[in-house]
Amino acid sequence: MANSGGPKLMFKLASLGILGACLWIFTSGGLTQSANLTIEHQPDSPLQISSSQIDLTYSEPSLEVTLMLASRSVKPIRAFTIASSVGRDKTGALLITTNTDEQMWQFNEIKPITMRKSRAEIIDGVKLSIDFVEFSDGTTWGPDSFNSADDLAGEREGLRLSVQILSQIAKTKGFGGFINNLTSNRSDISIPKGKSLSWERGFQRGAGTVIERLNRAYTKGGPGQLESEWARTLADSKRTSPE
C-alpha cells in the first residue's frame, strides 16, 4: 500500500514536465521546433536584462521578444544597445534612445522593451547582452561593439543642424516659408566629411526624423499641429547634449 501511489505520482510529474516543455514549443510549416534564446550573464552591467518572453502565437518570419530591463545605475540611463550573438560572433544590435528626462531609466526602475528576432535566430540559438550604455551626463559603459557612441553623436548633430536650418528659414521667410520647405521635401543639410559610417548613419537618421515628424504633424493637423510639434522638436533638441 505504501508504494501504490508511486507510478501515479511519477506520471503526474512527467506530465508536468511535458507541459512545461510545451510552453517553449511552436510549429512552423508542420515541423515542431523549440525556442532557444539566452541572456548573457553580466553582473557588472548598469542595465540588466531581468527576463525575456517570446510571442510564439504568430507565423510570421520574425517573432516579437519582450525584455524587462532593470537599471542598477545611480545615474539615469539615456541610451543603450542590446547586442545579439550567435556563437562567439555579435551579429546585430538594437540602439534605444530616450527623448525626455521622464523616459530615462532611473535607479532600480524596471521597464519593458520589445524587439523582433527572426524565427531562424530563435530556433538556432541567439544570445542577448547589453553592449553599450550612455548615462545622462554623457559618460558611457560597455565594449560598444557597434559604435553606438558614434551613431548617437551623428544623430544628435543631424537633429541639431536640421533644427538650426529650419529655425533660420522660419526667421527669414516666416511660417509660410517654413511650411513650404517641409512640403517640398527640400534639404539643405549635407553630411560633414571625415566621419565614420556609424556617425553618418546616425546623422542621416537624426536629420530625417525632424522632417518626418513635422511633415506628419502638418498632414494630420495642419498649421496648428505643426506649430505645436515644432515647439516640441525645439525642446527635444535642447535635451540631446550631455548635461
Side-chain angles (χ1 to χ4, degrees):
M1 291 298 292
N3 295 326
S4 62
K8 292 183 179 180
L9 178 60
M10 291 298 295
F11 176 78
K12 289 180 180 178
L13 290 174
S15 299
L16 288 173
I18 293 171
L19 179 61
C22 286
L23 294 177
W24 291 94
I25 300 294
F26 62 95
T27 301
S28 175
L31 178 65
T32 301
Q33 299 164 312
S34 60
N36 185 7
L37 183 147
T38 58
I39 306 300
E40 183 174 329
H41 181 56
Q42 296 177 286
D44 297 329
S45 173
L47 191 65
Q48 298 284 322
I49 305 175
S50 60
S51 65
S52 62
Q53 181 178 353
I54 308 172
D55 188 348
L56 304 176
T57 59
Y58 298 100
S59 58
E60 285 85 357
S62 62
L63 298 172
E64 186 174 273
V65 179
T66 300
L67 304 176
M68 298 301 296
L69 302 180
S71 172
R72 296 294 178 257
S73 169
V74 295
K75 294 190 290 188
I77 293 174
R78 184 169 57 192
F80 57 90
T81 297
I82 297 175
S84 303
S85 301
V86 176
R88 296 184 178 182
D89 299 323
K90 291 187 176 180
T91 56
L94 175 66
L95 174 60
I96 304 289
T97 62
T98 59
N99 293 322
T100 66
D101 294 342
E102 292 75 18
Q103 292 175 342
M104 293 186 191
W105 264 254
Q106 306 296 330
F107 180 58
N108 276 343
E109 185 174 23
I110 302 175
K111 293 192 287 190
I113 67 159
T114 58
M115 61 190 303
R116 299 198 74 84
K117 304 303 295 179
S118 71
R119 189 174 291 269
E121 285 180 288
I122 298 297
I123 295 169
D124 296 340
V126 62
K127 179 183 289 185
L128 302 180
S129 62
I130 302 297
D131 183 73
F132 169 82
V133 173
E134 183 190 65
F135 304 102
S136 60
D137 62 1
T139 58
T140 62
W141 175 93
D144 195 11
S145 310
F146 297 90
N147 296 320
S148 298
D150 262 11
D151 191 299
L152 283 172
E155 180 181 27
R156 288 160 182 162
E157 182 62 10
L159 170 62
R160 187 192 69 80
L161 280 180
S162 291
V163 170
Q164 178 180 302
I165 290 171
L166 290 171
S167 295
Q168 188 63 30
I169 291 172
K171 182 183 296 184
T172 58
K173 298 182 180 180
F175 204 61
F178 182 90
I179 292 174
N180 288 336
N181 184 271
L182 290 177
T183 55
S184 63
N185 288 319
R186 290 199 306 271
S187 176
D188 300 320
I189 304 174
S190 58
I191 301 176
K193 298 184 181 299
K195 301 294 185 179
S196 69
L197 290 176
S198 296
W199 196 97
E200 291 180 357
R201 182 175 61 245
F203 182 91
Q204 292 175 320
R205 185 176 65 249
T209 296
V210 174
I211 303 298
E212 288 171 11
R213 67 186 281 187
L214 294 174
N215 263 321
R216 189 164 52 245
Y218 181 69
T219 301
K220 185 177 180 180
Q225 188 158 334
L226 172 60
E227 194 166 2
S228 298
E229 188 62 35
W230 174 237
R232 283 192 288 269
T233 301
L234 287 173
D236 287 347
S237 68
K238 295 175 181 177
R239 297 190 183 101
T240 57
S241 57
E243 295 173 354

